[in-house]
Amino acid sequence: MRGVVFDGRSVEVVDDLQVRDPGPGEVLVAVAAAGLCHSDLSVLDGTIPFPVPVVLGHEGAGVVEAVGPGVTHVVPGDHVALSTIANCGACAECHRGRPTMCRKAIGMPRQPFTRGGRPLYQFAANSSFAERTLVKAVQAVRIPKEIPLPSAALIGCAVVTGVGAVLNRARVAYGDSVVVIGAGGIGLNVLQGARIAGARPVVAVDANPDKEETARRFGATHFLPSAEGVAEILPTGADHVFECVGRVELVRQAVDLLDRHGQAVLLGMPSTTAEASFVVSSLFLDKSILGCRYGSARPQRDFALYAELYLAGRLLLDELVTRTYGVEDFLRARADAEAGRVARGVVVF
């Protein structure tokens, strides 16, 4: 079968991948579509260290092909969106309702794929840039068949990360003010999360003026090319600032934009050794800097909620899919993503 493989030096589309059959508690999924996220690019450029060779992709949707013993919540033929959180369901964090903090879901890559008899790693417990992938049962979330699969794929990363950061981590309240730095795939979902929460004003900041129309469609009430104009809109600062780019100077900027009791939520991914600085005394008025993993999500609950919001016309998915590519055009999809020409490019099988 076809898939996208990175060997530590180069990335290529291959046609001789194999994936094993599902064992107990596992689901084999025929992937229909997978979004190309910045995290995939970060593996390629070394920002995110990951063992190789690895099958890339982590934002996918498809159709259940087979299930292993003990799996009852999905059956062959079901449409599913794929989560990256392969949590155990039995530890203290899982029982607290915090599956993103499950230690068995972090830093333990599996090798369900082979190529020429050699095992390959699975990226983010998902590897959706393959015609078939094997996931834990908890990662396969059934979705209504009315949702187009290229759109549904984006629920599994861009949507859950951005909207989840607003609703689950920051807990933005009706009437709160929000600033979003970076209007890419994650930033657009923070914008629509703020819109769903009833925030106002919602200020999008991005150096690319071509993003204004889309940012406003997703929920921005204002659009600025830099943060310098935020003070005119929010003279005392913002209740919530989301940094969605992953640059340390923008982390400092997010902190500086806060009002009293404000929260800076960090969603962008700088290098693993990057350090940011800020004036410590600037936090003394109950300001906070928050990390956020995967939208602090409970995928089996949250994916279903986002599907309902989409079907009700309140959550935008189709508008996120800027362009679709055949898997053979992955390198072009990568170039478009790196150049910022797409909010989300989606690879379809």
Side-chain angles (χ1 to χ4, degrees):
M1 68 178 183
R2 295 175 298 168
V4 178
V5 174
F6 178 56
D7 65 4
R9 297 179 302 276
S10 61
V11 60
E12 64 175 325
V13 179
V14 304
D15 61 6
D16 56 350
L17 278 181
Q18 292 183 315
V19 64
R20 64 175 174 80
D21 293 334
E26 294 179 332
V27 178
L28 182 67
V29 177
V31 179
L36 177 54
C37 172
H38 189 75
S39 294
D40 297 299
L41 302 179
S42 294
V43 173
L44 298 178
D45 66 19
T47 300
I48 297 178
F50 204 87
V52 293
V54 58
V55 181
L56 293 176
H58 66 284
E59 185 181 67
V63 180
V64 174
E65 190 165 287
V67 300
V71 178
T72 59
H73 75 291
V74 293
V75 297
D78 281 346
H79 286 200
V80 292
L82 300 178
S83 163
T84 69
I85 303 300
N87 61 295
C88 70
C91 69
E93 297 295 349
C94 286
H95 277 275
R96 289 189 182 105
R98 299 193 297 223
T100 59
M101 295 296 103
C102 173
R103 284 174 171 79
K104 292 188 177 181
I106 302 174
M108 298 182 182
R110 297 178 297 164
Q111 296 177 301
F113 298 97
T114 56
R115 185 184 181 209
R118 182 185 180 189
L120 287 82
Y121 287 99
Q122 185 173 37
F123 181 53
N126 190 305
S127 289
S128 52
F129 288 149
E131 288 184 289
R132 290 174 183 81
T133 193
L134 188 71
V135 297
K136 281 189 172 183
V138 72
Q139 296 176 255
V141 184
R142 188 172 58 230
I143 56 172
K145 292 184 178 180
E146 304 96 288
I147 303 178
L149 287 170
S151 299
L154 305 187
I155 293 175
C157 182
V159 173
V160 72
T161 299
V163 178
V166 174
L167 302 182
N168 299 329
R169 186 65 169 125
R171 297 185 181 274
V172 173
Y174 185 85
D176 282 358
S177 57
V178 169
V179 175
V180 181
I181 302 174
I186 300 298
L188 290 175
N189 280 288
V190 174
L191 289 171
Q192 70 171 334
R195 170 177 51 78
I196 290 167
R200 192 170 186 89
V202 178
V203 183
V205 178
D206 199 291
N208 185 351
D210 293 339
K211 294 184 178 181
E212 178 172 3
E213 180 181 352
T214 303
R216 289 185 180 275
R217 183 186 309 161
F218 274 74
T221 60
H222 300 74
F223 184 91
L224 298 173
S226 75
E228 294 178 1
V230 171
E232 296 181 15
I233 302 166
L234 298 168
T236 63
D239 295 315
H240 311 274
V241 181
F242 296 83
E243 198 284 325
C244 304
V245 180
R247 288 167 42 192
V248 293
E249 65 270 24
L250 297 181
V251 172
R252 168 61 182 269
Q253 193 174 83
V255 174
D256 290 344
L257 290 172
L258 293 176
D259 196 355
R260 299 181 180 194
H261 207 271
Q263 299 180 132
V265 184
L266 310 185
L267 298 177
M269 178 62 72
S271 73
T272 55
T273 58
E275 297 183 1
S277 64
F278 56 90
V279 178
V280 175
S281 62
S282 70
L283 300 183
F284 288 169
L285 292 172
D286 286 2
K287 300 178 185 180
S288 305
I289 301 173
L290 304 180
C292 183
R293 172 173 165 78
Y294 205 61
S296 300
R298 286 175 279 178
Q300 289 287 342
R301 180 202 69 166
D302 291 355
F303 285 21
L305 170 63
Y306 301 148
E308 287 180 16
L309 290 172
Y310 168 80
L311 293 175
R314 297 183 60 198
L315 183 87
L316 304 181
L317 288 179
D318 305 334
E319 294 82 354
L320 277 170
V321 183
T322 311
R323 189 173 301 166
T324 58
Y325 306 81
V327 65
E328 65 279 0
D329 292 325
F330 177 81
L331 294 181
R332 182 160 64 92
R334 174 190 179 184
D336 286 347
E338 290 177 330
R341 289 189 286 266
V342 293
R344 220 34 154 217
V346 176
V347 173
V348 294
F349 289 91

Short mmCIF file of all heavy atoms in Angstrom, two decimals, residues 225-262:
data_model
loop_
_atom_site.label_atom_id
_atom_site.label_comp_id
_atom_site.label_asym_id
_atom_site.label_seq_id
_atom_site.Cartn_x
_atom_site.Cartn_y
_atom_site.Cartn_z
N PRO A 225 -2.27 43.59 10.91
CA PRO A 225 -1.03 43.01 10.39
C PRO A 225 0.05 42.84 11.45
O PRO A 225 1.03 42.13 11.23
CB PRO A 225 -0.60 44.02 9.33
CG PRO A 225 -1.18 45.32 9.80
CD PRO A 225 -2.47 44.97 10.46
N SER A 226 -0.10 43.49 12.59
CA SER A 226 0.84 43.33 13.70
C SER A 226 0.10 43.62 15.00
O SER A 226 -1.00 44.19 14.99
CB SER A 226 2.04 44.27 13.56
OG SER A 226 1.67 45.59 13.88
N ALA A 227 0.73 43.27 16.11
CA ALA A 227 0.09 43.45 17.41
C ALA A 227 0.12 44.90 17.88
O ALA A 227 -0.50 45.22 18.90
CB ALA A 227 0.77 42.57 18.44
N GLU A 228 0.79 45.75 17.14
CA GLU A 228 0.92 47.14 17.58
C GLU A 228 -0.43 47.85 17.68
O GLU A 228 -0.60 48.77 18.47
CB GLU A 228 1.85 47.90 16.64
CG GLU A 228 3.30 47.42 16.69
CD GLU A 228 4.18 48.16 15.70
OE1 GLU A 228 3.66 49.06 15.01
OE2 GLU A 228 5.38 47.83 15.63
N GLY A 229 -1.39 47.43 16.88
CA GLY A 229 -2.69 48.09 16.90
C GLY A 229 -3.68 47.53 17.91
O GLY A 229 -4.79 48.05 18.04
N VAL A 230 -3.28 46.48 18.65
CA VAL A 230 -4.22 45.86 19.58
C VAL A 230 -4.64 46.84 20.67
O VAL A 230 -5.81 46.86 21.09
CB VAL A 230 -3.61 44.58 20.20
CG1 VAL A 230 -4.49 44.05 21.33
CG2 VAL A 230 -3.42 43.51 19.13
N ALA A 231 -3.72 47.68 21.13
CA ALA A 231 -4.02 48.60 22.23
C ALA A 231 -5.12 49.58 21.87
O ALA A 231 -5.85 50.05 22.75
CB ALA A 231 -2.76 49.35 22.64
N GLU A 232 -5.27 49.91 20.59
CA GLU A 232 -6.35 50.81 20.19
C GLU A 232 -7.71 50.13 20.33
O GLU A 232 -8.71 50.79 20.60
CB GLU A 232 -6.14 51.27 18.75
CG GLU A 232 -4.88 52.10 18.55
CD GLU A 232 -4.73 52.57 17.11
OE1 GLU A 232 -5.73 52.50 16.36
OE2 GLU A 232 -3.62 52.97 16.74
N ILE A 233 -7.74 48.83 20.15
CA ILE A 233 -9.00 48.08 20.27
C ILE A 233 -9.25 47.67 21.71
O ILE A 233 -10.39 47.72 22.20
CB ILE A 233 -8.95 46.83 19.35
CG1 ILE A 233 -8.70 47.25 17.90
CG2 ILE A 233 -10.23 46.02 19.46
CD1 ILE A 233 -8.29 46.09 17.00
N LEU A 234 -8.18 47.28 22.41
CA LEU A 234 -8.27 46.82 23.80
C LEU A 234 -7.28 47.62 24.64
O LEU A 234 -6.17 47.16 24.92
CB LEU A 234 -7.95 45.32 23.88
CG LEU A 234 -8.88 44.38 23.10
CD1 LEU A 234 -8.29 42.98 23.01
CD2 LEU A 234 -10.25 44.33 23.78
N PRO A 235 -7.66 48.83 25.05
CA PRO A 235 -6.72 49.72 25.75
C PRO A 235 -6.13 49.13 27.03
O PRO A 235 -4.99 49.43 27.40
CB PRO A 235 -7.57 50.96 26.06
CG PRO A 235 -8.68 50.91 25.06
CD PRO A 235 -8.96 49.46 24.84
N THR A 236 -6.89 48.29 27.74
CA THR A 236 -6.38 47.71 28.99
C THR A 236 -5.81 46.31 28.79
O THR A 236 -5.32 45.70 29.75
CB THR A 236 -7.49 47.65 30.06
OG1 THR A 236 -8.54 46.79 29.61
CG2 THR A 236 -8.05 49.05 30.34
N GLY A 237 -5.86 45.80 27.59
CA GLY A 237 -5.35 44.47 27.31
C GLY A 237 -6.46 43.46 27.07
O GLY A 237 -7.65 43.77 27.18
N ALA A 238 -6.07 42.24 26.76
CA ALA A 238 -7.01 41.18 26.40
C ALA A 238 -7.19 40.18 27.53
O ALA A 238 -6.28 39.93 28.32
CB ALA A 238 -6.52 40.44 25.15
N ASP A 239 -8.37 39.59 27.60
CA ASP A 239 -8.62 38.53 28.56
C ASP A 239 -7.85 37.26 28.20
O ASP A 239 -7.38 36.52 29.08
CB ASP A 239 -10.12 38.21 28.64
CG ASP A 239 -10.93 39.37 29.17
OD1 ASP A 239 -10.53 39.97 30.17
OD2 ASP A 239 -11.99 39.67 28.58
N HIS A 240 -7.74 36.98 26.91
CA HIS A 240 -7.07 35.77 26.44
C HIS A 240 -6.27 36.10 25.18
O HIS A 240 -6.79 36.74 24.27
CB HIS A 240 -8.08 34.67 26.09
CG HIS A 240 -9.10 34.42 27.15
ND1 HIS A 240 -8.90 33.57 28.21
CD2 HIS A 240 -10.36 34.93 27.31
CE1 HIS A 240 -9.97 33.56 28.97
NE2 HIS A 240 -10.88 34.38 28.45
N VAL A 241 -5.01 35.65 25.14
CA VAL A 241 -4.19 35.77 23.95
C VAL A 241 -3.66 34.38 23.60
O VAL A 241 -3.06 33.71 24.44
CB VAL A 241 -3.01 36.74 24.15
CG1 VAL A 241 -2.19 36.85 22.85
CG2 VAL A 241 -3.50 38.12 24.56
N PHE A 242 -3.89 33.96 22.36
CA PHE A 242 -3.45 32.64 21.89
C PHE A 242 -2.30 32.82 20.91
O PHE A 242 -2.46 33.49 19.88
CB PHE A 242 -4.61 31.90 21.22
CG PHE A 242 -5.75 31.58 22.14
CD1 PHE A 242 -6.73 32.52 22.43
CD2 PHE A 242 -5.85 30.33 22.74
CE1 PHE A 242 -7.79 32.23 23.28
CE2 PHE A 242 -6.91 30.03 23.59
CZ PHE A 242 -7.87 30.98 23.86
N GLU A 243 -1.16 32.23 21.22
CA GLU A 243 -0.01 32.27 20.32
C GLU A 243 -0.02 30.99 19.49
O GLU A 243 0.12 29.89 20.02
CB GLU A 243 1.29 32.38 21.11
CG GLU A 243 2.48 32.87 20.29
CD GLU A 243 3.07 31.81 19.38
OE1 GLU A 243 3.08 30.62 19.76
OE2 GLU A 243 3.51 32.16 18.27
N CYS A 244 -0.23 31.14 18.19
CA CYS A 244 -0.45 29.98 17.31
C CYS A 244 0.63 29.82 16.25
O CYS A 244 0.40 29.15 15.24
CB CYS A 244 -1.82 30.11 16.63
SG CYS A 244 -3.20 30.31 17.76
N VAL A 245 1.79 30.44 16.46
CA VAL A 245 2.86 30.40 15.46
C VAL A 245 4.03 29.56 15.93
O VAL A 245 4.58 28.76 15.17
CB VAL A 245 3.33 31.84 15.12
CG1 VAL A 245 4.44 31.80 14.07
CG2 VAL A 245 2.16 32.68 14.63
N GLY A 246 4.45 29.75 17.19
CA GLY A 246 5.57 28.98 17.70
C GLY A 246 6.88 29.73 17.64
O GLY A 246 7.94 29.12 17.44
N ARG A 247 6.83 31.05 17.83
CA ARG A 247 8.05 31.87 17.86
C ARG A 247 8.17 32.52 19.23
O ARG A 247 7.19 33.08 19.74
CB ARG A 247 8.03 32.93 16.76
CG ARG A 247 8.23 32.34 15.37
CD ARG A 247 7.90 33.29 14.26
NE ARG A 247 8.38 34.64 14.49
CZ ARG A 247 8.02 35.69 13.76
NH1 ARG A 247 7.15 35.52 12.76
NH2 ARG A 247 8.49 36.88 14.02
N VAL A 248 9.38 32.47 19.81
CA VAL A 248 9.53 32.91 21.20
C VAL A 248 9.24 34.40 21.37
O VAL A 248 8.73 34.82 22.41
CB VAL A 248 10.93 32.56 21.74
CG1 VAL A 248 11.09 31.05 21.84
CG2 VAL A 248 12.03 33.16 20.88
N GLU A 249 9.54 35.19 20.35
CA GLU A 249 9.25 36.62 20.48
C GLU A 249 7.74 36.88 20.50
O GLU A 249 7.27 37.86 21.10
CB GLU A 249 9.90 37.43 19.35
CG GLU A 249 9.39 37.14 17.95
CD GLU A 249 10.14 36.04 17.24
OE1 GLU A 249 10.74 35.17 17.95
OE2 GLU A 249 10.15 36.02 16.00
N LEU A 250 6.97 35.99 19.89
CA LEU A 250 5.52 36.13 19.93
C LEU A 250 4.93 35.64 21.25
O LEU A 250 3.87 36.10 21.66
CB LEU A 250 4.89 35.38 18.75
CG LEU A 250 5.29 35.90 17.37
CD1 LEU A 250 4.59 35.10 16.27
CD2 LEU A 250 4.97 37.38 17.22
N VAL A 251 5.65 34.74 21.92
CA VAL A 251 5.24 34.34 23.27
C VAL A 251 5.34 35.56 24.19
O VAL A 251 4.42 35.85 24.96
CB VAL A 251 6.12 33.20 23.79
CG1 VAL A 251 5.84 32.93 25.27
CG2 VAL A 251 5.89 31.94 22.97
N ARG A 252 6.45 36.29 24.10
CA ARG A 252 6.60 37.51 24.89
C ARG A 252 5.50 38.51 24.54
O ARG A 252 4.91 39.15 25.41
CB ARG A 252 7.99 38.11 24.64
CG ARG A 252 8.20 39.54 25.17
CD ARG A 252 8.04 39.60 26.69
NE ARG A 252 8.19 40.96 27.18
CZ ARG A 252 9.35 41.49 27.56
NH1 ARG A 252 10.47 40.78 27.51
NH2 ARG A 252 9.39 42.73 28.01
N GLN A 253 5.22 38.63 23.27
CA GLN A 253 4.18 39.55 22.83
C GLN A 253 2.82 39.17 23.40
O GLN A 253 2.04 40.03 23.83
CB GLN A 253 4.14 39.55 21.30
CG GLN A 253 3.35 40.66 20.66
CD GLN A 253 3.51 40.62 19.15
OE1 GLN A 253 2.82 39.88 18.46
NE2 GLN A 253 4.46 41.40 18.64
N ALA A 254 2.53 37.88 23.43
CA ALA A 254 1.26 37.41 23.98
C ALA A 254 1.12 37.80 25.44
O ALA A 254 0.05 38.24 25.89
CB ALA A 254 1.14 35.90 23.82
N VAL A 255 2.19 37.66 26.21
CA VAL A 255 2.16 38.04 27.62
C VAL A 255 1.95 39.55 27.76
O VAL A 255 1.16 40.01 28.60
CB VAL A 255 3.46 37.60 28.32
CG1 VAL A 255 3.50 38.13 29.76
CG2 VAL A 255 3.59 36.08 28.31
N ASP A 256 2.64 40.33 26.95
CA ASP A 256 2.56 41.78 27.04
C ASP A 256 1.16 42.32 26.69
O ASP A 256 0.80 43.42 27.10
CB ASP A 256 3.59 42.44 26.12
CG ASP A 256 5.02 42.24 26.61
OD1 ASP A 256 5.18 41.88 27.80
OD2 ASP A 256 5.96 42.43 25.82
N LEU A 257 0.38 41.54 25.93
CA LEU A 257 -0.94 42.00 25.50
C LEU A 257 -2.05 41.72 26.52
O LEU A 257 -3.19 42.13 26.32
CB LEU A 257 -1.32 41.33 24.17
CG LEU A 257 -0.53 41.78 22.93
CD1 LEU A 257 -0.87 40.88 21.75
CD2 LEU A 257 -0.82 43.24 22.61
N LEU A 258 -1.71 41.07 27.62
CA LEU A 258 -2.74 40.65 28.57
C LEU A 258 -3.26 41.78 29.45
O LEU A 258 -2.51 42.65 29.88
CB LEU A 258 -2.21 39.54 29.47
CG LEU A 258 -1.88 38.20 28.81
CD1 LEU A 258 -1.27 37.26 29.83
CD2 LEU A 258 -3.12 37.58 28.18
N ASP A 259 -4.54 41.72 29.75
CA ASP A 259 -5.15 42.56 30.77
C ASP A 259 -4.97 41.86 32.12
O ASP A 259 -4.46 40.74 32.20
CB ASP A 259 -6.65 42.73 30.45
CG ASP A 259 -7.29 43.88 31.22
OD1 ASP A 259 -6.61 44.50 32.07
OD2 ASP A 259 -8.48 44.15 30.98
N ARG A 260 -5.40 42.52 33.19
CA ARG A 260 -5.40 41.88 34.50
C ARG A 260 -6.19 40.56 34.44
O ARG A 260 -7.23 40.47 33.81
CB ARG A 260 -6.03 42.80 35.53
CG ARG A 260 -5.27 44.11 35.71
CD ARG A 260 -5.91 44.98 36.77
NE ARG A 260 -5.18 46.22 36.93
CZ ARG A 260 -5.34 47.06 37.96
NH1 ARG A 260 -6.25 46.79 38.89
NH2 ARG A 260 -4.63 48.17 38.04
N HIS A 261 -5.65 39.58 35.11
CA HIS A 261 -6.27 38.26 35.15
C HIS A 261 -6.32 37.59 33.78
O HIS A 261 -7.07 36.65 33.54
CB HIS A 261 -7.69 38.32 35.75
CG HIS A 261 -8.12 37.04 36.40
ND1 HIS A 261 -8.75 36.03 35.70
CD2 HIS A 261 -7.98 36.58 37.66
CE1 HIS A 261 -9.00 35.02 36.51
NE2 HIS A 261 -8.54 35.32 37.71
N GLY A 262 -5.50 38.09 32.84
CA GLY A 262 -5.51 37.52 31.50
C GLY A 262 -4.71 36.24 31.40
O GLY A 262 -3.89 35.91 32.27
#
